[in-house]
Amino acid sequence: MSLSRRSFLRASTAVATAAVVGVGSLMPSPSQAATQLIAWDKAVPPADYPERVIGKVDAPVTIIEYSSLTCGHCATFHNEVLPMVKEKLLDTGKARLVVRDFPLDQYAFAAALIARRAPKESYEGLVATYFAQQHVWTRSEKPVDTLKQYALLSGMSVQDVEAALKDDALFQAIRQVQISAGSAYGIKATPTFVVEGKVVEGVQSYDTLKAMVEAAKK
């Protein structure tokens, strides 16, 4: 279960395929980002929710992913499919990915709280590590303690992590995102993707997402 900072960075790179765009490409505020980037979105997150965008801001197609950090199917997508999606669709400017939380249990909530309060440049790598190491921390005796260890390797301090876990405003914002996803798109399982308003549930292949992106551009 031991993971050095170097290993953390290596795992993040392997899983997220050198995630250098990550969440640094954000608009000034979460609410503005959602409005400006996704005009068709019926589930705009509250202002207290820091939106996370992977890809180029001016990409013509937006993919919204609703995921839970304890979901095995979500881990499959992030570990096996996302690297190619990032290389072929996101980095090339064909689409952008907006990642939103839909936690399925208390540990997914804890992981989401920590990840959303991680430094912008560390978010994508931390989430990649949570998914890559999901089989470890979800089965540990104290999952939250293991989550904290990974967060510390991402650059967060002990105080940062504790503050994130006690952040009631963020907790309520994540809950509202989850409620809005259900009411706007009928989402009740993870992962679920919304591509230009079209909803598709379950792990999707690169080819499927590519076809949806190409169809949305027509």
Side-chain angles (χ1 to χ4, degrees), residues 108-187:
F109 244 115
L113 286 167
I114 295 171
R116 289 285 156 178
R117 286 295 181 240
K120 291 180 180 180
E121 66 275 11
S122 300
Y123 170 82
E124 193 176 345
L126 180 56
V127 168
T129 296
Y130 280 167
F131 277 126
Q133 299 294 320
Q134 187 189 82
H135 64 292
V136 175
W137 66 265
T138 56
R139 299 174 185 175
S140 65
E141 185 176 347
K142 296 181 178 180
V144 176
D145 286 350
T146 309
L147 288 172
K148 292 179 181 179
Q149 293 175 20
Y150 295 147
L152 295 180
L153 291 171
S154 77
M156 298 181 75
S157 67
V158 174
Q159 292 76 17
D160 291 335
V161 176
E162 293 298 335
L165 291 171
K166 297 176 182 177
D167 192 336
D168 185 63
L170 179 58
F171 178 90
Q172 296 300 334
I174 292 174
R175 185 70 184 112
Q176 186 57 50
V177 166
Q178 193 172 33
I179 293 171
S180 296
S183 60
Y185 301 117
I187 294 174

Side-chain angles (χ1 to χ4, degrees), residues 33-208:
T35 301
Q36 295 177 24
L37 288 177
I38 320 172
W40 50 262
D41 188 13
K42 297 182 293 183
V44 178
D48 289 332
Y49 187 75
E51 193 81 287
R52 295 308 189 223
V53 182
I54 305 173
K56 299 181 180 180
V57 173
D58 59 351
V61 178
T62 299
I63 305 168
I64 302 176
E65 177 202 358
Y66 287 93
S67 63
S68 172
L69 286 161
T70 54
C71 168
H73 297 297
C74 297
T76 296
F77 173 76
H78 277 259
N79 295 339
E80 301 178 13
V81 183
L82 182 56
M84 183 173 289
V85 170
K86 188 174 187 303
E87 178 186 357
K88 302 292 186 179
L89 299 179
L90 308 185
D91 290 347
T92 57
K94 296 178 180 178
R96 56 182 168 245
L97 177 67
V98 175
V99 183
R100 292 182 182 166
D101 298 299
F102 197 93
L104 299 178
D105 53 57
Q106 61 179 331
Y107 297 125
F109 244 115
L113 286 167
I114 295 171
R116 289 285 156 178
R117 286 295 181 240
K120 291 180 180 180
E121 66 275 11
S122 300
Y123 170 82
E124 193 176 345
L126 180 56
V127 168
T129 296
Y130 280 167
F131 277 126
Q133 299 294 320
Q134 187 189 82
H135 64 292
V136 175
W137 66 265
T138 56
R139 299 174 185 175
S140 65
E141 185 176 347
K142 296 181 178 180
V144 176
D145 286 350
T146 309
L147 288 172
K148 292 179 181 179
Q149 293 175 20
Y150 295 147
L152 295 180
L153 291 171
S154 77
M156 298 181 75
S157 67
V158 174
Q159 292 76 17
D160 291 335
V161 176
E162 293 298 335
L165 291 171
K166 297 176 182 177
D167 192 336
D168 185 63
L170 179 58
F171 178 90
Q172 296 300 334
I174 292 174
R175 185 70 184 112
Q176 186 57 50
V177 166
Q178 193 172 33
I179 293 171
S180 296
S183 60
Y185 301 117
I187 294 174
K188 55 186 177 182
T190 57
T192 296
F193 301 88
V194 187
V195 182
E196 296 293 314
K198 183 177 181 180
V199 181
V200 58
E201 183 179 306
V203 178
Q204 302 302 313
S205 67
Y206 162 73
D207 289 336
T208 296

